[in-house]
Every structure is written in C-alpha cells, then in structure tokens.
C-alpha cells in the first residue's frame, strides 16, 4: 500500500469521525449543568416575594432592595438590604435583620444551575442541589413560592415602627 492511499484513508476516516465526535460532545454538553445568567435570575426574582412558611422576602427591582419579614414561633424579625445576582448563577440577599433583641447583618446566597429547562438550586456554599423548577412546572416546585404580591413590606414596616416606638419608650421619649 502506498503512502498516498494510506493518507487518503486516514483523512477519510478522520472526516467521518469528526462530526460524530462533535455530535457526542454536543449531547454531553446538554446534560452538563450550566449556571443561570444574572439576567435569568433577575427575571425570576425581580419584583417577586419568595414566600416562606414563617414569612417571606421581597426582591424589589427599584434599587435592588430586599425586604423580609418572619414570624417564627411568635418571634418577629424584619430585614432591609440589597439583593444581587451574577453570571455564575448566584443570588445573594445581603441585609440587616432586626428584632426586639437587636440587629445583625447577614448574607444568604443560593446557587442556580440548569440542565435543559430544569433549574436546580442550593443554598451556598454547601447545600444540597434540588429541583427548583421542573421543565414543566410541578405543584411543589420551590419556584411556585415566588409570587407577584408583596406580602411582606407592610409587615416589615409595621414591625420596624413598633420596635422604634418601643425603643423610644425605653429611653423615656
């Protein structure tokens, strides 16, 4: 066999294999989790309230303000701060939480990845991944707890005013 025909066969085999390899890589890429973009996260959370069993957090688009209120076994707290998103699929709530005993800053972040149209979420840095939104939304998806109605801002404002009034009364004002 001559060198020319060997090179021809090798080139032919390579040209037939490359499209198959590219297709296999594309299929593998579809099954690989990819981070949601900041824009995707902004569209999911912006001007929504994430309702929790004990209250909720409001993601206000204007100024990226974050307001939350909770009532955990009769102990009320409110938070005021900011929410931020990035192109690594991360949403963070950076706020000062206040209750009758005082105030403290906290930062809570969640990671988001998608495979196809299914979105996964976990609390950062070490939470377990779970389905946040199935490709066809299920009744029990966490995503469904994001609602348009603002169910927390008034409660947070009222608690803030109550705590301020109590502080003034303690100081004799």
């Amino acid at each position: 066999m001559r060198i020319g025909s060997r090179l021809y066969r090798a080139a032919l085999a390579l040209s037939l294999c490359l499209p198959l390899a590219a297709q296999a890589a594309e299929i593998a890429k579809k099954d690989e989790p990819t981070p949601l973009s900041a824009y995707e996260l902004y569209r999911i959370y912006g001007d929504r309230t994430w309702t929790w069993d004990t209250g909720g957090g409001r993601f206000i688009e204007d100024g990226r303000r974050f307001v939350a209120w909770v009532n955990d076994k009769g102990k009320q707290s409110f938070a005021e701060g900011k929410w931020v998103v990035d192109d690594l699929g991360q949403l963070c709530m950076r706020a000062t939480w206040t209750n009758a005993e005082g105030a403290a800053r906290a930062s809570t972040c969640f990671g988001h990845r998608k495979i196809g149209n299914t979105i996964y979420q976990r609390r950062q840095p070490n939470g377990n991944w779970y389905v946040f939104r199935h490709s066809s939304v299920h009744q029990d998806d966490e995503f469904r707890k994001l609602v348009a109605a603002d169910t927390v801002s008034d409660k947070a404002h009222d608690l803030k005013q109550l705590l301020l009034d109590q502080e003034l009364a303690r100081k004799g004002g």
Side-chain angles (χ1 to χ4, degrees):
M1 186 181 288
R2 293 187 333 192
I3 294 237
S5 64
R6 284 186 193 159
L7 288 175
Y8 174 75
R9 286 186 198 161
L12 179 61
L14 187 59
S15 69
L16 293 174
C17 291
L18 282 178
L20 293 175
Q23 183 179 12
E26 189 64 31
I27 289 169
K29 189 176 180 181
K30 286 181 184 176
D31 292 338
E32 189 175 303
T34 57
L36 270 66
S37 69
Y39 177 75
E40 289 171 305
L41 291 169
Y42 181 82
R43 301 249 324 158
I44 290 171
Y45 289 93
D47 279 340
R48 298 268 190 263
T49 301
W50 191 355
T51 58
W52 309 320
D53 291 340
T54 58
R58 180 75 179 170
F59 301 89
I60 301 165
E61 284 184 0
D62 183 29
R64 295 274 177 98
R65 291 183 311 118
F66 176 73
V67 177
W69 172 85
V70 296
N71 185 350
D72 189 14
K73 300 175 185 157
K75 186 175 181 180
Q76 295 185 68
S77 301
F78 73 92
E80 295 177 309
K82 299 277 187 188
W83 62 285
V84 295
V85 292
D86 65 29
D87 284 328
L88 299 174
Q90 188 163 261
L91 159 79
C92 292
M93 299 158 277
R94 298 181 178 135
T96 299
W97 283 88
T98 306
N99 61 28
E101 292 150 13
R105 295 213 25 89
S107 181
T108 304
C109 299
F110 288 86
H112 298 79
R113 302 283 184 272
K114 63 183 172 181
I115 298 175
N117 290 324
T118 299
I119 299 173
Y120 297 84
Q121 181 186 65
R122 76 171 181 170
R123 186 167 179 163
Q124 299 287 53
N126 299 319
N128 294 321
W129 289 103
Y130 55 88
V131 174
F132 177 70
R133 188 190 76 198
H134 288 86
S135 58
S136 58
V137 180
H138 293 187
Q139 189 67 30
D140 61 346
D141 282 354
E142 190 69 21
F143 171 81
R144 291 182 57 92
K145 294 180 181 179
L146 290 166
V147 298
D150 183 351
T151 59
V152 299
S153 291
D154 287 343
K155 292 175 182 176
H157 178 267
D158 292 348
L159 179 57
K160 181 178 182 177
Q161 190 60 52
L162 175 68
L163 293 175
L164 285 172
D165 291 347
Q166 289 174 352
E167 182 67 22
L168 286 175
R170 272 195 302 275
K171 290 181 178 181

